[in-house]
Amino acid sequence: MNFSEVIQNLNWFAVVVAALSTFVIGGIWYSVFEKPWMTANHFSAENLSKRNMPLVFGLSFFFSLIMSLNLAMFIGKEGVAFGTIAGFMAGFGWVAFAIAIISLFENRPFKYVLINGGYMVVSFTIMGAILGAWK
């Protein structure tokens, strides 16, 4: 199967829903871990109020869509069990440990890795489950 066939055979609705799921998970995750996340990043409410939120959310969705598309292409025609495991392994084995490596060089606390890496593990696992279930 060539690349164009892979793209044509994707369930684009599932790709978009999986990308949107990261927003729901992120909203819950970072509301639960808001104070430790702010501490780990040395953020204040004043720092955070200066962000361009339409740009942050727009780019975050675009990046989530790319991640979801990539994961969907990896999962292919496999089902929910494979999708869930693949999502977990991508989140845990690649993303969380990449965050851990970066945090070592940035001298971030381990709490930073647990909060941000944990969010990515949960997000990728749910994305994989959605993509695997929705063929």
Side-chain angles (χ1 to χ4, degrees):
M1 187 178 299
N2 65 37
F3 184 73
S4 64
E5 290 173 340
V6 170
I7 295 294
Q8 289 173 354
N9 290 328
L10 289 176
N11 180 340
W12 285 95
F13 186 68
V15 170
V16 171
V17 169
L20 287 172
S21 74
T22 64
F23 280 86
V24 174
I25 295 164
I28 295 166
W29 191 268
Y30 288 101
S31 67
V32 170
F33 297 108
E34 180 180 21
K35 291 196 187 320
W37 174 76
M38 288 176 66
T39 301
N41 285 289
H42 307 292
F43 290 152
S44 68
E46 183 182 340
N47 296 123
L48 296 177
S49 69
K50 294 178 183 174
R51 297 174 295 174
N52 179 344
M53 293 312 291
L55 181 64
V56 168
F57 279 106
L59 287 175
S60 293
F61 177 72
F62 177 69
F63 298 152
S64 295
L65 191 61
I66 292 170
M67 292 187 309
S68 180
L69 177 60
N70 183 54
L71 188 58
M73 290 175 21
F74 179 77
I75 292 169
K77 295 192 179 289
E78 299 294 330
V80 67
F82 180 83
T84 303
I85 292 167
F88 172 78
M89 295 306 292
F92 180 73
W94 289 327
V95 181
F97 282 105
I99 290 170
I101 290 168
I102 292 166
S103 74
L104 290 171
F105 285 93
E106 292 180 348
N107 198 30
R108 301 274 186 168
F110 190 62
K111 177 172 36 175
Y112 172 92
V113 176
L114 292 176
I115 294 169
N116 293 309
Y119 163 63
M120 287 285 100
V121 171
V122 171
S123 290
F124 270 89
T125 302
I126 299 299
M127 277 197 298
I130 291 168
L131 295 167
W134 235 337
K135 291 288 155 202

